[in-house]
Amino acid sequence: KKDPHIIAVGDSHGNIAIYNVRGTDTKPVAESKDLDGKHTDIIWELQWVEKKDKGEFLISISGDGRIIEWSMKKGLEFTELKVLKRETNPN
């Protein structure tokens, strides 16, 4: 809400890139491509979430079963929120 010109994109390799669509540079302002611990499978969904008195964060969920919160305060940093486990149907 605060920065509607900032958009986030996820790809099939688990990478997240954040772009400033107001700027003239076509390169992302931040990306997870070279971060250890980033998603390892396709990004299913990204959503900006506002936390009281802490600003906006990006939440991602991926085919690797992980839900991650991303912050751009000091570059692109992440915190793993949850790991979903796939259970097989016994039938």
Side-chain angles (χ1 to χ4, degrees):
K1 294 179 181 180
K2 181 181 154 200
D3 298 311
H5 58 281
I6 302 294
I7 62 168
V9 178
D11 71 15
S12 61
H13 300 287
N15 300 314
I16 291 175
I18 299 174
Y19 294 89
N20 179 351
V21 296
R22 280 191 193 159
T24 57
D25 193 357
T26 58
K27 294 181 181 175
V29 293
E31 61 184 329
S32 68
K33 185 172 77 173
D34 297 326
L35 295 178
D36 289 333
K38 69 172 186 72
H39 285 297
T40 58
D41 201 354
I42 189 169
I43 303 294
W44 287 340
E45 187 171 346
L46 296 169
Q47 186 167 357
W48 292 102
V49 175
E50 189 169 355
K51 287 188 170 184
K52 246 185 190 174
D53 301 327
K54 292 187 178 184
E56 285 185 313
F57 292 84
L58 182 66
I59 306 293
S60 62
I61 185 167
S62 167
D64 62 10
R66 295 167 60 220
I67 301 172
I68 294 179
E69 176 183 86
W70 300 88
S71 170
M72 290 183 28
K73 300 271 187 216
K74 301 175 186 172
L76 192 60
E77 298 177 332
F78 69 92
T79 304
E80 187 172 272
L81 298 179
K82 189 164 188 96
V83 177
L84 304 173
K85 295 180 182 174
R86 178 176 289 189
E87 294 195 16
T88 57
N89 186 347
N91 297 329

